Amino acid sequence: MSYPNWVFSMFAFIGFVISVIPLPWHLEAWNTGTCLFMIWTGLACLNQFINSIIWNGNAINWAPVWCDISSRFMIGSAVAIPCASLCINRRLYYIATANAVIITKAEKRRAIMVDLAIGVGIPVLEMVVQYIDQGHRFDIYEDIGCYFFTLNTWVAYVLVVTWPLVIGCVSAVYCVLSIRAFMKRRSQFKELLSANSNLNSNRYFRLMCLAGTEIACTVPLSCWSLYLNIHAEHIIPYDGWTVVHSDFSEVDQYPSIIWHLNPTLATALETTRWFVVMCAIIFFAYFGFADEARKNYRAAIGSVAKRVGLSTGGSFGSTLWSSTG
């Protein structure tokens, strides 16, 4: 690495914090896709942060149970973030193409259930089916930590490798259709948004930008991952469940000096762990400074100030602090 490992640890923790800061008011608004994006991204950053701390400068199998959980979660989160983006794009599309202004409670409840099926159900299913082609328990890379292992067979492409690309492409179709519908119905747009009390035009466009940015990253990275798997490694035949899991308890451990000798592997590992941090930063860039965010920051600062005996005056960012006792 051309940087100390603590740099990534710092950014991963920051990514976790800035992902969960806006979560409370988005939960109140029942923005399912946005909440799923924050939860999966925040937990992915926290997972990478813990791994980078425990395995900083070593590749010892300190916590095998944690690695089982951590590596399994990595499989799910790689699909979950594109799934959350898909949920956002679906919602924006249905808002842009709605024929009725009034949305019933039953329709809202059904929309939430569909979002949960996509944003939670698909990642959990991915965690389960990856076991079919899981050659051994997990790997440990110095400085990076636990990492799942999938044999490079045709089964892996069906069950694991291509899922983010397929979901990203479906999400991109919804995004294009949303933009097309919006351009056709601009005069009705404010009326359509009025049916969604928790969504205004600014938030709509921020959601569209967030989902579009995620698509712009997911699709190229998924194509690049496919290229690396196909050309950098030899695809082996799938010899059946018994052969694949014959030495399942094996745990491969790689010191930093070893895995850095393979530039393709090193680039893939670094890209994987930095991707979730970038997702957190991009989300906060779109929503961390929005009107509702600044409103909640002011409320939080006022609450803390009242508890410690301080009073605030003026606007957020130019506050004059004075002691009251």
Side-chain angles (χ1 to χ4, degrees), residues 75-137:
I75 297 166
S77 62
V79 173
I81 295 175
C83 282
S85 177
L86 174 58
C87 292
I88 294 171
N89 274 306
R90 282 184 72 259
R91 185 186 183 200
L92 299 181
Y93 169 73
Y94 285 119
I95 290 173
T97 58
N99 293 320
V101 174
I102 299 175
I103 300 176
T104 65
K105 290 184 178 180
E107 290 174 331
K108 289 181 179 180
R109 188 162 51 248
R110 186 164 53 249
I112 291 173
M113 296 304 293
V114 172
D115 284 343
L116 291 175
I118 295 172
V120 178
I122 293 177
V124 171
L125 178 62
E126 171 76 347
M127 295 181 199
V128 174
V129 299
Q130 188 269 345
Y131 180 74
I132 296 173
D133 199 47
Q134 185 179 352
H136 57 255
R137 195 169 173 184

Side-chain angles (χ1 to χ4, degrees), residues 12 17 27 46 51 61-62 77 83 89 128 134 139 158 182 212 218 250 258 260 295 298 300 303 325:
V17 172
L27 283 172
L46 181 62
N51 280 336
N61 190 10
W62 300 106
S77 62
C83 282
N89 274 306
V128 174
Q134 185 179 352
D139 293 333
V158 175
F182 167 73
T218 296
E250 176 187 353
I258 298 298
H260 274 105
K295 178 182 177 181
R298 285 194 293 267
S303 176

